[in-house]
Amino acid sequence: MGWAAALALPRPAGPHHVGCADVMVGRTRQGLFFRLYYPCEPHARAARPLWIPRAEYFEGLVDVGGRRRWWSAPLLRAAFSTFRVPLSWNSPFKPGSAKYPLIIFSHGLGAFRTLYSAVCAELASRGFVVAALEHRDRSASATYFCTGEPGEALREEWIPYGRVPPGEKEFYFRNKQLHQRADECARGLQLFEDISRGQVVPNVLHGAFDLSVLQGSIDMTKVAIMGHSFGGVTAVLATVKEPRFSCAVALDAWMFPLEHARYPDVSKPLLFINNEKFQTPESIARMKRLRSRNSETKAVTILGSVHHSQSDITFLTGKFEKLINRILTTRGTLDPHKVLGITCQAALAFLQRHLDLNEDFDQWDPLLDGIGDSVVADEPLCRSNL
């Protein structure tokens, strides 16, 4: 037990209990796969979902890290395969007195749908429905889709993580992925539009969440896009491809893959919540360019944070976490709970402003101007580029 580890995810702090479920729509690669976070009815006996649900994801994480599968994947499985998140699995959806706003969430490079459960659950506890997509552009560490005719047994086809091919420039490879990701986000929004209109949308996973319970409970006039790293720039582009996104929240966005020709098309308000030790001067210049086009676009930096501070990985504890931290730099000097609090409070204040919500999230408005403990406005200090 010398390498004992734990996942110390906080319970969501909002007034709603939070349920989560996996949703797969369609039986082709062009379908959608996401983890849904939503306000749910209290259920004392509800199961807690696994944090990393399948062995294939451990193998994918090893591939992303460039390690050998034969020893690294079993080690990760032994350390993390039993970790569960403090949410209610497939619990009954809780209809609200008013419709819930919707957030589509896009994961970072080498991540997948379950690695941002702390952020997504906190937003759901505040009265949002959040769909965390698992992208199929080979930027996820691993993902899959199911094939087979209705009534037949499902057959899984796995999509591995893809590196930049030899001889191909990284920008062109990542830019192609970026556009696929933004298109998937737009299709995610359309899916919820279809559900809201009463269209039957089967969830092909066995014994899975029934999407029809969402009909009449989501406010499709209050829709935002959010993401981390590669997902942050995906959120920016998605506002161009799908005008129904009212605004975007970009967590430590990796701006590199977005072509300059698209910048004049970005017109929706953006909130960049950056970490202290990731951004480069070039990336900051790109954010400033977008800020110059829209006075409602904001950029703040959380001091004492690193690139992984907004993912669940930062909440790993124990001696194994110390080993992982040496490889990924999972934790900065600021307490992870404080980073989560600043991230979600700033996002909520921004969403209230641009989704016209009748909540008390405006109490955190000063964060949007970089006013508060451990937050500054405009530019990260760029002490290192990790």
Side-chain angles (χ1 to χ4, degrees), residues 338-358:
K338 186 69 177 290
V339 178
L340 175 65
I342 294 172
T343 297
C344 291
Q345 290 167 7
L348 289 166
F350 184 78
L351 292 170
Q352 170 154 328
R353 183 177 297 185
H354 297 292
L355 298 184
D356 193 25
L357 305 179
N358 186 25

Side-chain angles (χ1 to χ4, degrees), residues 73-95:
L75 187 61
L76 288 178
R77 284 199 301 273
F80 305 133
S81 62
T82 61
F83 290 177
R84 295 182 180 272
V85 298
L87 306 173
S88 298
W89 181 244
N90 278 343
S91 281
F93 177 75
K94 175 186 175 183

